[in-house]
Amino acid sequence: MLDPKWLRSEPETIATLLKKKKFELDVELLKDLENARKRLQHDTEALQNERNTRSKEIGKAKAAGRDVSEILTAVEGMKRQLEHKKEELFEIQEKLKTYSLGVPNVPATEVPDGMDESDNLQISTWGRPRDFIWEVKDHVALGESLRQGLDFASAVKLTGSRFVVMRGQIARLHRALAQFMLDTHTDEHGYTEVNVPYIVNQDSLYGTGQLPKFEEDQFQIQDKDRAYYLIPTAEVPVTNLVRNEIIEPEYLPLRFASHTPCFRSEAGSYGKDTRGMIRQHQFEKVELVQIVEPTTSADALEELTQHAEKILQKLDLPYRKVLLCGGDLGFSAVKTYDLEVWLPSQHAYREISSCSLFNDFQARRMQARWRNPASGKPELVHTINGSGLAVGRTLVAVLENHQDERGNIRVPDCLRPYMNGLEEIG
RNA sequence: GGAGGGAUGGCAGAGCGGUUGAAUGCACUGGUCUUGAAAACCAGCGAGGGUGAAAGCCCUCCGAGAGUUCGAAUCUCUCUCCCUCCGCCA
């Protein structure tokens, strides 16, 4: 959520800024609602003040043993009037809130203009795609050719499309990847490992911005009296750890790394990436989350992105870093770097990590604050998160990039300790 | 699943339906005292919102949500969470 004070004082400025994100801010509606709100709130509070004063008078008069019937009749009429005003005010406030919750965060100034991913700005590349002198196999061919490997058919039987069963050394490689990522971030990058619920309530999803706008992307648990959801990313439970908290400055920055499954309905992506495990309803991810003081957040995004890059480098996977353009930027984000890994079978870079800065947008929704020593007051923190990395897609990248002519897979050095020293899968 | 008990400020813990946003203690901050510290004493010390240049003023909040009332931390209802005992279970 944007700062309501800012939204009400400079709606035109914000409207201009949001054009970069292809969002049309309804300035007129906002102004009308705001005017009504101001008037109603003033009236309501004045009325409440008067009622409070009168009620206290009654108390005093009774204590003094005086007759109160006269004041009583005077105050009685106010009750109905107050109720009416309150209702009106509540209605307007709900409208304002509903609208505000649907307004995206404003992009950073350095975010490039553009409509979609084709307008994203390449920042850097790392590594060089191998020159394959034979016809490369994609991860599906590689995984299915193994006696114990990727098994999509079984997953369809068990559940449906967009799921996978992994067996044998592939399952182990997948586990190794997650372990390796988690160990690197905790041992080398200073993150604290957290293990969190994979099911969250609505408040948590409102806090990080998935609700109310992206309800259809979530898996909701069927339960007659509980509105629970499967997490679409660890960002939700991990970031919400600080919801409704006031954090003392000595605890900042908070750095969390969490390995969880992620569940996404993928509504609206029919026919997209239907082959293989690029786009699944369930996948695993190691997520990095930082809760920081506002002045340090821009640097923290750079650092966090480098932490994610480190994983790709250790795995010897060629990738590039892009800065998302306004049109491709997510609802809550101010700025996002995507890391895209090279997939030889597609002869293209594909997203494997997304690292975003939210400034106080999520913090405001969550009421996540820190005590600023300069003011002594609670102020909103800034939040940052990024994949470090998506485990399923990393598996795909390892299989495809480290294959040999016979369809065997070289195990990257950094994973061997997790694989009992195994050098090759095949 | 069954039977009880509870939820108040950073923590502990009072609170008759009427100047209670809330006693008291601890913690914390500032001051006095002291060579310095401790102790003692004095003072301050919750959050959200509105308005205002600011000081200030006003509204709301005692787990959440409804209700009764001129007036609710205090009364009623619903829900959530926590604790104890029994049962079941990884």
Side-chain angles (χ1 to χ4, degrees):
Chain A
M1 216 162 79
L2 294 174
D3 182 357
K5 285 178 194 158
W6 188 35
L7 197 55
R8 99 173 54 111
S9 62
E10 300 180 50
E12 285 90 356
T13 312
I14 295 172
T16 308
L17 291 168
L18 286 176
K19 278 196 179 131
K20 205 193 241 179
K21 246 183 177 174
K22 312 302 164 203
F23 181 84
E24 194 75 42
L25 187 71
D26 194 337
V27 177
E28 283 312 306
L29 172 74
L30 221 45
K31 281 184 173 171
D32 288 349
L33 287 174
E34 176 52 25
N35 286 336
R37 191 227 97 223
K38 198 169 195 166
R39 180 174 51 78
L40 283 167
Q41 182 162 345
H42 177 268
D43 292 356
T44 307
E45 288 185 0
L47 221 50
Q48 272 180 144
N49 183 16
E50 196 179 334
R51 187 215 51 198
N52 290 346
T53 315
R54 292 291 177 79
S55 291
K56 278 178 188 166
E57 277 173 28
I58 293 175
K60 273 192 248 179
K62 270 195 173 173
R66 291 199 302 271
D67 177 44
V68 294
S69 56
E70 203 174 308
I71 324 176
L72 218 50
T73 43
V75 183
E76 253 161 22
M78 291 178 59
K79 196 187 174 185
R80 185 167 285 267
Q81 204 184 344
L82 182 60
E83 266 168 22
H84 184 66
K85 280 283 181 215
K86 266 188 175 168
E87 261 170 50
E88 272 187 276
L89 176 63
F90 181 77
E91 221 171 277
I92 289 288
Q93 278 174 331
E94 277 302 296
K95 278 184 189 164
L96 259 172
K97 191 175 151 199
T98 304
Y99 189 74
S100 304
L101 279 172
V103 176
N105 203 354
V106 296
T109 49
E110 65 269 32
V111 167
D113 282 315
M115 281 304 293
D116 53 38
E117 58 180 319
S118 63
D119 296 318
N120 293 342
L121 183 68
Q122 180 172 310
I123 301 292
S124 62
T125 62
W126 186 93
R128 244 204 4 253
R130 280 167 70 191
D131 295 318
F132 289 92
I133 55 170
W134 66 90
E135 188 158 346
V136 293
K137 293 182 177 145
D138 75 355
H139 69 281
V140 180
L142 290 163
E144 286 184 335
S145 70
L146 293 169
R147 198 166 48 80
Q148 301 274 309
L150 294 178
D151 178 359
F152 293 96
S154 290
V156 168
K157 175 175 69 182
L158 299 179
T159 312
S161 65
R162 293 203 194 280
F163 288 90
V164 68
V165 171
M166 289 177 268
R167 301 175 192 259
Q169 296 293 20
I170 295 297
R172 175 135 189 188
L173 184 64
H174 184 262
R175 174 162 58 91
L177 281 167
Q179 302 298 321
F180 160 67
M181 291 175 195
L182 215 39
D183 286 349
T184 303
H185 295 311
T186 53
D187 298 343
E188 295 175 27
H189 298 153
Y191 288 77
T192 301
E193 181 173 349
V194 283
N195 192 298
V196 292
Y198 305 151
I199 294 175
V200 293
N201 57 31
Q202 285 186 313
D203 288 344
S204 294
L205 286 160
Y206 270 96
T208 32
Q210 283 78 16
L211 289 182
K213 230 176 176 175
F214 307 100
E215 166 103 49
E216 70 283 1
D217 295 336
Q218 318 300 325
F219 271 114
Q220 187 168 182
I221 308 271
Q222 283 291 328
D223 186 297
K224 53 185 180 304
D225 43 28
R226 263 185 292 222
Y228 282 176
Y229 296 79
L230 296 175
I231 57 170
T233 157
E235 165 192 354
V236 178
V238 176
T239 310
N240 274 280
L241 285 172
V242 297
R243 172 152 50 90
N244 291 327
E245 299 286 337
I246 299 172
I247 305 160
E248 294 304 324
E250 60 265 32
Y251 294 115
L252 295 178
L254 290 173
R255 292 178 166 166
F256 297 120
S258 189
H259 169 215
T260 72
C262 304
F263 304 92
R264 299 193 181 171
S265 75
E266 294 298 340
S269 60
Y270 303 107
K272 214 182 195 179
D273 298 314
T274 48
R275 180 176 166 84
M277 51 187 297
I278 293 288
R279 191 172 299 277
Q280 303 270 284
H281 286 309
Q282 173 187 324
F283 63 95
E284 291 183 29
K285 184 157 60 67
V286 171
E287 183 76 359
L288 304 176
V289 173
Q290 291 201 26
I291 312 294
V292 305
E293 295 176 20
T295 52
T296 64
S297 61
D299 290 340
L301 172 67
E302 301 299 324
E303 275 174 42
L304 182 142
T305 308
Q306 283 160 24
H307 296 151
E309 288 179 63
K310 194 75 190 175
I311 301 295
L312 286 162
Q313 291 167 11
K314 288 194 179 208
L315 291 169
D316 197 20
L317 295 170
Y319 69 91
R320 64 173 193 157
K321 174 153 82 171
V322 301
L323 178 59
L324 297 197
C325 73
D328 203 24
L329 201 55
F331 175 77
S332 305
V334 159
K335 180 179 178 178
T336 297
Y337 290 114
D338 270 7
L339 301 179
E340 299 179 342
V341 72
W342 178 257
L343 290 188
S345 70
Q346 299 189 8
H347 210 75
Y349 286 103
R350 292 300 306 265
E351 179 188 333
I352 197 165
S353 171
S354 196
C355 304
S356 302
L357 168 65
F358 304 95
N359 284 351
D360 59 13
F361 191 84
Q362 292 182 326
R364 183 169 294 106
R365 287 171 165 244
M366 292 190 298
Q367 279 303 301
R369 293 157 296 165
W370 70 301
R371 197 170 294 280
N372 185 346
S375 65
K377 292 285 174 196
E379 295 174 12
L380 297 170
V381 295
H382 281 193
T383 59
I384 299 145
N385 70 54
S387 350
L389 308 162
V391 182
R393 287 189 181 183
T394 308
L395 180 77
V396 169
V398 168
L399 294 179
E400 295 197 3
N401 281 282
H402 297 328
Q403 64 181 296
D404 68 15
E405 196 163 2
R406 295 161 297 152
N408 296 336
I409 314 299
R410 177 177 71 82
V411 177
D413 293 345
C414 60
L415 294 182
R416 290 179 189 173
Y418 299 91
M419 299 288 291
N420 234 342
L422 188 73
E423 292 176 15
E424 193 176 74
I425 295 172

